[in-house]
Amino acid sequence: MTIQHDGEPRSNAVRKKLDAYVPTGHKTYTPTQAIVTSAEGIWLTTADGKRLLDFTSGVLVANLGHAHPDFEAGYARYAEGVPRNCYNAVSPLEADAAERLIRNMNLPSMEKVLWADSGSAGIIKAIWAAQHTRPDKKIMLATRLGFHGKKGLAGDVTGEVSKNPDVRFIGFPMDEVADVDAVDAAEANRETLLPKFADELDALKREHGDNLLLLITEPYLGAAGSFHPTKWYLQFLNEWCRENEVVFILDEVQSCHGRTGNMYACESYGVEPDIVVLGKGLGNGEPIAATVGRAELLDSFDYGEASDTFSGNPRGCAAVLAALDVYERQPIVEHGRTMAKAMRDGLVALRDEFESVVNVRGEGLVWGVEMSSPEVATAAVLAAYNEDLHLLGPLAKKVLRVSPPLTIQEHELHDGLERMRRALKRVEGSEG
Ligand SMILES: Cc1ncc(COP(=O)(O)O)c(C=O)c1O
């Protein structure tokens, strides 16, 4: 049924037209279905003139905020007069963006860049690279309940069951880090907690021996409900892969460009993967992704084997360059780290005030607020909309995602949290 909201004639007309011409499956369910016509900073304006405070950054894409003046000016400068596409030619922007990205990542294993036109396409290229380099190996390990995309091989390594007979899922810390207050204890309890994860991997090693090709994980489980592991867990996976000659792929499609309090989550967790996949924030909204990693792996393709129409197109590369300029010249990541502390304190206070908030967990400016039930979570998203606060539809049915642009100012952050507080009050009030 078409979503409609009282008092929104223009938005309701768009919602109706959308339903008439665009299949439901094209959109991820969000009960508000805000119709946004323009955006600036952390503010979205709807077709009916409602101004929404954006606690989503799109879906963790516009990390620099909407219409960031320096990003937009840089983008316009780099993109001025460039060809619309360069499939059978090369734009210098592509070479420049690859060089700058590698320099910015600043890890010895980050040697080459394979562009992609979406996060999932970047993941597929990472898997292809491992398969091309080591055709004698087959088994792909993926952390259970991870999300790497819906398409092809990216979908195969997503979730907890796979139609691909070569995929095996392994455990990821969830119960151990269910709430932010539990993380320090889990971090300190490596010796007690590690065997659960190590034994599982060792059993797979005994079963599959040299047939183990790759291990793919997100730094934190995003779509599964924002579970942020201990550092030792990811470091253990990294070491285990190195010892067993398994290609370690880190899916930073969502975590890249400052989300976790560092430019890349590999810095936050102290790991050095063989391949890192970047997306979302990479172009601050321009659709571009990148598979970055060891030359030995990414050079395994011959001409055309990893190319497609839109990957590395001039405008995407212009956006990568313009975003890097802003991150390198302005203290965006440092500012995000400062805001992270205010966010943590604010969300923990909400958890302590409201019974319907079960746990909060997160890092940097990517947080999950676990509600008592899917119904309460959906009601909270709608109540937030009534407070002019934009939230994504719940993750894993009952976790509210809080991920504002990194450029959010402290008073705006408190304003957003206060709107959340009023929304939760409404939800609990209407329940009682
Ligand atoms: C961690 C992660 N990997 C991969 C993807 C897939 O990216 P895309 O939707 O651009 O294909 C997403 C998208 O949400 C993601 O969060």
Side-chain angles (χ1 to χ4, degrees), residues 74-189:
Y75 175 66
R77 208 173 47 248
Y78 284 117
E80 190 183 353
V82 298
R84 275 279 163 197
N85 206 342
C86 253
Y87 188 80
N88 287 101
V90 176
S91 158
L93 293 174
E94 184 179 343
D96 289 346
E99 183 190 36
R100 284 279 304 280
L101 190 55
I102 284 168
R103 223 185 305 139
N104 185 272
M105 292 187 80
N106 195 26
L107 278 179
S109 56
M110 298 296 111
E111 297 175 305
K112 288 263 166 116
V113 177
L114 198 53
W115 299 110
D117 53 9
S118 67
S120 38
I123 296 290
I124 292 169
K125 289 183 182 186
I127 296 175
W128 283 350
Q131 290 175 329
H132 273 236
T133 313
R134 304 182 185 176
D136 50 319
K137 300 183 180 209
K138 291 258 171 323
I139 301 296
M140 295 180 265
L141 306 178
T143 44
R144 194 169 290 118
L145 295 178
F147 182 78
H148 304 290
K150 294 168 193 157
K151 302 172 200 128
L153 280 168
D156 289 358
V157 292
T158 281
E160 54 184 334
V161 282
S162 178
K163 61 179 170 17
N164 186 323
D166 294 329
V167 174
R168 301 287 180 282
F169 291 101
I170 58 167
F172 191 99
M174 293 176 79
D175 294 344
E176 298 83 352
V177 291
D179 186 88
V180 67
D181 284 347
V183 176
D184 285 350
E187 199 68 77
N189 274 340

Side-chain angles (χ1 to χ4, degrees), residues 1-5 11-20 33:
M1 209 175 67
T2 302
I3 291 174
Q4 299 276 272
H5 293 297
S11 298
N12 284 341
V14 177
R15 292 178 182 119
K16 274 196 181 142
K17 193 192 280 187
L18 192 79
D19 254 12
Q33 199 171 66

